[in-house]
Amino acid sequence: MRAEQVGKGEALANWFDGRVGLFKMGKAQLRKVFPDHWSYLIGEIALYTFIIIILTGVYLTMFFEPSMREVVYDGTYRPLNGVRMSEAYESALNISFDVRGGLLMRQIHHWAAILFVASMLVHMMRTFFNGAFRKPREINWLSGAGLLILGMFDGFLGYSLPDDLLSGTGMRFLEGAILSVPLVGTYLVFFIFGGQFPGEIIIPRLFTFHVLLLPGIMLGLLALHMILLVYHKHTQHMGPGKKNMNIVGPPLWPVYVAKSGGFFFLVFGVNVVMSAIAQVNPVWLYGPYRPDRVSTDAQPDWYMGFSEGLIRLMPGWEINLWGHTLALGVFIPLMVFPVVLLIIWLYPFLEAWITGDRREHHFNERPRNSPSRTAFGAAWMALYAVLLAAGGNDLIATHFDLSLNAITWTCRIAFFVLPAIVFIITKRWCIGLQRRDREKVLHGRETGIIKRLSHGEYVELHEPLTQAERYTLTAHDQQDPLEPPAEIDEAGVPRKASRRHKLRVRLSRSYFGDRGQIPKATVEEYRRHQAEHEPHEEREPTH
């Protein structure tokens, strides 16, 4: 009996399935459920812009010449004809004016990099404020933060490649920062630049790091991030039918795949439109880099602006020790630079140490239900904003006709004062919202309708919340603060608590004590309140 005839495509699929089990594996994965919420699209924007960066980067790599060999330009852009420049800068001009679609590709590549870092930062803060970094997702948090930081540095290397006057000024900035490192700064500069700045090998080295090393590491981190996302499943917002160990939402196939695919083309289209109408990094206007010149309005891309702000805020302190000069005005900002990133990157481990919580968490926590964490994140954002403003203090001064020194001193004061103010205000704000949620659960929603009772009293009618709304407002966990150990143990011997434990107790009280959260309404309180207040509205007053 002859076997049933099958098409070539189906035969090929059967061949692969017989060797790697694609159908069985795919069937299990395609039915995975993903929660549906708009905030999850931020992470997808980061993923899709990264794909756009890879695609456009491959195209640009075919035409870019990563060489510092000097040539005399004689090309389409006539204002630079006869000017000596590096081959890297010449190839950037050729891509912009002579390669079909080259300028659009450069624009798409640059805008995609800006959007990638922006969406990564917003996605990271969404994860932070929702508490989605808690067990078992600490490694996923670290991989995501690693992607963000590597993306920032890869972007810096990318816009340094054309060897124009603007990017060269940024490289000069980097050289000065490295030179400020005591003892080994000069050796590091000679190692990185291959001799006296700018050397002859820095562009080829940047090219290797930009197109090979850092993207390779980022692809590995992205794969780890996605694998852990599938393994741990997505976090979800609290609501009816949702539990800590289940997921409510549409399946991956066909619903999520269709929506996600459409969203990819939407992101790609918006990126192309931005690139077509909004000019970014016009290297031909700056001219080639020369060590004896500096460009005006020299500003890095926004995500590296906080490093510029650190330098501009720091006074130009110098000290001389044993015949050596220490440029503290540059070295101290160089040391603070990684701290700004690490304090938010490593925060989940600080919170886990304070709470001692070892449970698995698969719910997104409302920011108001963790006032201290939300206030910490808001304070970090305020610090970042101050540094960005300080990095552009000259532009603020010229555009708004303000004193440069006044702006600098304002940012210096705000660097220390504003995060503390934002922390206090945000924490009080969250506690106020918690109190409002408690009142809504007990009293219901205000209707604005005033009713006069039979004994003359006027009251506002409240509409009771639905059971689903009450569940959403009360389903979160609230921890009790840690208690300090007894001063005397069971044997009557004085007990000395370590400073580390005392610090942990104080932080725990700040997080979960009377000033750290408002106790949520319990079932008993709700029933007691209903019994005491509802009949009272209809009763005549007794004398």
Side-chain angles (χ1 to χ4, degrees):
M1 184 176 181
R2 297 181 60 184
E4 184 179 352
Q5 295 292 330
V6 297
K8 293 182 179 180
E10 185 176 352
L12 181 61
N14 290 333
W15 186 89
F16 273 103
D17 182 54
R19 286 151 182 82
V20 296
L22 284 178
F23 289 172
K24 184 182 296 184
M25 181 175 60
K27 184 178 181 180
Q29 297 301 322
L30 291 177
R31 299 307 298 173
K32 279 190 173 296
V33 174
F34 281 81
D36 195 9
H37 193 267
W38 67 267
S39 62
Y40 301 138
L41 298 179
I42 302 171
E44 293 188 26
I45 294 175
L47 174 63
Y48 299 152
T49 50
F50 184 70
I51 295 174
I52 296 170
I53 291 171
I54 298 297
L55 294 177
T56 55
V58 170
Y59 182 85
L60 294 174
T61 301
M62 294 187 290
F63 302 99
F64 183 73
E65 186 65 39
S67 171
M68 298 188 71
R69 187 175 69 87
E70 277 199 346
V71 297
V72 177
Y73 182 71
D74 184 22
T76 305
Y77 189 66
R78 295 189 179 276
L80 290 178
N81 278 345
V83 176
R84 299 184 67 85
M85 60 184 63
S86 66
E87 280 190 315
Y89 186 65
E90 182 189 39
S91 65
L93 294 177
N94 291 336
I95 291 173
S96 301
F97 297 107
D98 298 318
V99 175
R100 185 178 296 276
L103 180 57
L104 181 60
M105 284 294 180
R106 280 192 61 241
Q107 296 268 122
I108 295 174
H109 190 72
H110 201 117
W111 271 118
I114 294 174
L115 293 176
F116 170 71
V117 179
S119 57
M120 280 292 296
L121 182 60
V122 176
H123 177 60
M124 183 176 177
M125 297 314 297
R126 195 279 304 174
T127 302
F128 180 87
F129 287 122
N130 285 151
F133 53 75
R134 294 173 293 175
K135 183 183 178 180
R137 294 177 176 82
E138 298 93 337
I139 298 178
N140 225 15
W141 166 266
L142 292 178
S143 64
L147 276 169
L148 172 61
I149 295 174
L150 288 177
M152 294 169 61
F153 282 101
D154 203 28
F156 172 75
L157 300 182
Y159 67 68
S160 300
L161 283 177
D163 198 31
D164 60 291
L165 187 56
L166 180 62
S167 64
T169 303
M171 292 305 298
R172 190 74 174 192
F173 177 93
L174 176 64
E175 183 236 4
I178 298 174
L179 280 175
S180 69
V181 179
L183 301 179
V184 297
T186 304
Y187 299 99
L188 289 175
V189 167
F190 272 73
F191 173 75
I192 293 173
F193 291 93
Q196 192 71 34
F197 179 85
E200 296 181 353
I201 63 173
I202 187 62
I203 295 299
R205 285 184 174 179
L206 293 183
F207 183 76
T208 302
F209 274 76
H210 178 68
V211 305
L212 182 62
L213 182 61
L214 293 185
I217 298 174
M218 292 174 68
L219 282 172
L221 288 176
L222 179 61
L224 174 64
H225 197 77
M226 300 304 295
I227 290 171
L228 289 176
L229 174 66
V230 173
Y231 177 71
H232 294 308
K233 299 182 176 60
H234 218 300
T235 56
Q236 61 182 341
H237 294 278
M238 293 180 180
K242 300 178 181 179
K243 300 179 181 179
N244 195 45
M245 300 305 293
N246 76 344
I247 298 293
V248 177
L252 177 63
W253 179 267
V255 180
Y256 194 82
V257 169
K259 294 170 63 176
S260 185
F263 189 59
F264 168 74
F265 290 106
L266 178 62
V267 171
F268 207 141
V270 171
N271 197 340
V272 171
V273 171
M274 291 175 58
S275 304
I277 65 177
Q279 180 174 268
V280 62
N281 198 26
V283 295
W284 54 90
L285 297 181
Y286 308 131
Y289 177 67
R290 283 180 50 177
D292 60 335
R293 293 182 180 178
V294 63
S295 64
T296 57
D297 286 350
Q299 301 287 331
D301 276 344
W302 72 269
Y303 46 85
M304 297 299 289
F306 79 98
S307 61
E308 182 93 7
L310 285 169
I311 292 289
R312 298 191 183 192
L313 289 185
M314 186 67 192
W317 293 346
E318 289 185 357
I319 60 175
N320 294 307
L321 290 175
W322 304 294
H324 296 277
T325 300
L326 296 181
L328 298 181
V330 180
F331 179 66
I332 291 178
L334 181 64
M335 295 295 101
V336 176
F337 169 77
V339 174
V340 174
L341 301 175
L342 288 175
I343 56 177
I344 196 73
W345 192 9
L346 300 180
Y347 172 85
F349 301 96
L350 172 64
E351 182 175 306
W353 175 70
I354 294 172
T355 62
D357 190 0
R358 299 294 183 267
R359 299 170 300 169
E360 289 193 5
H361 297 274
H362 301 284
F363 270 131
N364 287 320
E365 193 171 27
R366 300 175 79 197
R368 67 183 64 181
N369 292 331
S370 184
S372 295
R373 179 204 302 146
T374 303
F376 185 93
W380 183 84
M381 293 175 63
L383 175 65
Y384 198 91
V386 168
L387 294 177
L388 282 180
N393 58 357
D394 55 338
L395 297 180
I396 297 175
T398 55
H399 281 69
F400 296 98
D401 195 21
L402 299 173
S403 169
L404 179 64
N405 290 333
I407 296 173
T408 301
W409 273 102
T410 300
C411 291
R412 285 175 178 172
I413 296 171
F415 179 84
F416 297 99
V417 175
L418 186 62
I421 295 176
V422 170
F423 182 91
I424 294 172
I425 292 176
T426 304
K427 187 170 183 178
R428 297 306 306 169
W429 193 355
C430 290
I431 291 175
L433 291 173
Q434 282 188 340
R435 187 178 290 110
R436 177 174 174 269
D437 286 347
R438 175 183 170 85
E439 293 298 318
K440 284 179 65 177
V441 170
L442 294 177
H443 297 278
R445 187 181 296 104
E446 296 177 354
T447 63
I449 300 175
I450 306 300
K451 180 180 180 180
R452 182 181 180 183
L453 302 181
S454 57
H455 58 277
E457 179 184 359
Y458 288 90
V459 297
E460 182 182 9
L461 298 182
H462 287 71
E463 178 185 357
L465 300 182
T466 64
Q467 186 174 358
E469 291 172 328
R470 290 197 299 270
Y471 173 81
T472 302
L473 295 179
T474 58
H476 61 280
D477 295 326
Q478 286 190 324
Q479 293 185 239
D480 296 324
L482 297 176
E483 296 295 335
E487 297 181 358
I488 300 176
D489 61 14
E490 296 80 0
V493 178
R495 176 183 293 165
K496 292 184 179 180
S498 64
R499 292 181 180 179
R500 184 171 179 268
H501 186 74
K502 290 180 179 178
L503 174 62
R504 185 184 177 192
V505 170
R506 285 197 295 269
L507 291 174
S508 178
R509 286 180 172 178
S510 174
Y511 268 66
F512 308 114
D514 295 337
R515 297 183 178 182
Q517 63 182 2
I518 299 297
K520 63 181 181 180
T522 63
V523 176
E524 293 75 14
E525 287 176 323
Y526 175 76
R527 291 174 177 171
R528 184 168 59 251
H529 181 274
Q530 294 297 104
E532 291 176 355
H533 290 79
E534 286 190 357
H536 177 73
E537 294 183 358
E538 302 298 334
R539 285 203 309 261
E540 292 286 345
T542 57
H543 300 284

